[in-house]
Amino acid sequence: MSETADAREADRALKAKHRTMWALGDYPAVARQVVAALGPALVEACAVKDGDQVLDIAAGSGNASIPAALAGGDVVASDLTPELLAVGRQEAEARGATLSWQEADAEALPFEDGTFDTVMSCVGVMFAPHHQAAADELVRVCRPGGTIGLLSWTPEGFIGQMFATMKPYAPPPPPGAQPPPLWGKEEHVRALLGDRVTDVEVRRRTIRVDMFREPEEFRDFFKAAYGPTIAIYRNLADDPERTAALDAALTDLAGSALKDGGMEWEYLLLTARRGGADAG
């Protein structure tokens, strides 16, 4: 097998692993019960309006896609994991939102150049393993003068700290894969987008999470519902000592973040305009 064929096969295997991971547990419950406010925040920042052609990359079950459709956008929700799209279709119907759902790899989008007025991702594209490839694609499919909007967990915020806490218990990442919370660093995203965008606006914000009254409630919910956490615990299935150590580490992290019955989870919200000859 040639080196190129080897690379393609490795990429297919990696994407299959990601697809399986995000189908574990119940990510739609996380989106619906814990971080529901993020999607509308991104849609508002992107100023989605009637008739806009909108692509939501790594849309999951529609945390941002459905609000964008309700705001009047002609929305395509794309995601690697068909199980999440299936839930999204049901939720959209229940909320009276009309949009399209399409299985797609964020690093190889099946859309023509310059198709969309708005290209956005809400704590989604940050989990694509090859950051530059994903950034190149989201820029490519945005029309000149169109809006790019990205909402990502910061490394310093609670979810970034959670990934740092879990890292010692996870298998090593494949060659070339980059940590998701890097998308929460302004300089990293600016470097990914480069001079292909203008009018970059960056805001650091927090979402208030009031669902967990005790640290153990957070730990147990994420162990049951959040794919990346479930995958790491499965990696430890034959090691009760390390499982207990991770239990303790996540409990301690949540305990340090809980104040007045809730937590503040920090994210980076970045919007920009796609540059180009027709960007007026």
Side-chain angles (χ1 to χ4, degrees):
M1 189 178 289
S2 70
E3 183 176 344
T4 301
D6 283 343
R8 284 198 298 266
E9 184 59 35
D11 188 66
R12 278 193 292 268
L14 177 59
K15 299 301 169 56
K17 185 176 180 180
H18 274 240
R19 186 181 298 113
T20 299
M21 179 183 71
W22 286 107
L24 295 172
D26 189 358
Y27 183 75
V30 179
R32 185 172 54 249
Q33 299 176 37
V34 186
V35 297
L38 295 182
L42 178 58
V43 171
E44 181 181 7
C46 291
V48 174
K49 61 186 184 300
D50 282 349
D52 282 354
Q53 301 292 313
V54 180
L55 174 64
D56 186 8
I57 300 174
S61 54
N63 180 283
S65 308
I66 294 172
L70 293 173
D74 184 356
V75 180
V76 176
S78 69
D79 198 276
L80 192 64
T81 304
E83 291 88 345
L84 298 182
L85 297 176
V87 175
R89 288 187 186 96
Q90 295 174 348
E91 295 198 0
E93 184 176 353
R95 295 176 61 181
T98 301
L99 61 155
S100 300
W101 302 85
Q102 184 163 347
E103 186 176 340
D105 179 354
E107 297 178 6
L109 294 169
F111 308 109
E112 297 294 328
D113 296 0
T115 300
F116 298 95
D117 301 304
T118 297
V119 178
M120 63 182 186
S121 189
C122 183
V123 294
V125 75
M126 64 181 291
F127 291 99
H130 308 110
H131 294 187
Q132 192 63 64
D136 291 348
E137 282 293 271
L138 67 90
V139 172
R140 180 184 66 78
V141 299
C142 187
R143 69 163 175 81
T147 298
I148 292 170
L150 301 167
L151 191 155
S152 309
W153 301 120
T154 65
E156 303 84 6
F158 179 79
I159 296 296
Q161 292 180 45
M162 183 189 76
F163 276 96
T165 299
M166 296 192 300
K167 183 178 179 180
Y169 302 91
Q178 294 175 280
L182 282 178
W183 283 86
K185 293 179 71 71
E186 177 182 349
E187 58 271 27
H188 182 69
V189 184
R190 283 183 178 271
L192 291 174
L193 300 177
D195 60 5
R196 299 173 295 181
V197 299
T198 63
D199 303 321
V200 177
E201 292 187 27
V202 180
R203 289 141 282 187
R204 292 170 78 101
R205 295 181 177 174
T206 61
I207 180 174
R208 175 76 174 179
V209 176
D210 292 322
M211 182 177 173
F212 309 110
R213 296 295 173 178
E214 300 293 337
E216 293 81 6
E217 291 181 29
F218 162 80
R219 180 199 67 203
D220 292 344
F221 181 85
F222 267 64
K223 283 177 69 172
Y226 192 61
T229 306
I230 296 168
I232 289 173
Y233 271 97
R234 287 189 176 185
N235 185 58
L236 303 176
D238 297 327
D239 193 334
E241 288 189 6
R242 296 191 77 215
T243 296
L246 180 54
D247 276 345
L250 289 176
T251 303
D252 288 346
L253 176 67
S256 67
L258 269 169
K259 294 178 175 60
D260 301 321
M263 306 181 191
E264 299 286 342
W265 295 2
E266 186 183 60
Y267 61 88
L268 188 82
L269 179 59
L270 181 145
T271 57
R273 292 184 67 202
R274 170 75 164 94
D278 299 323

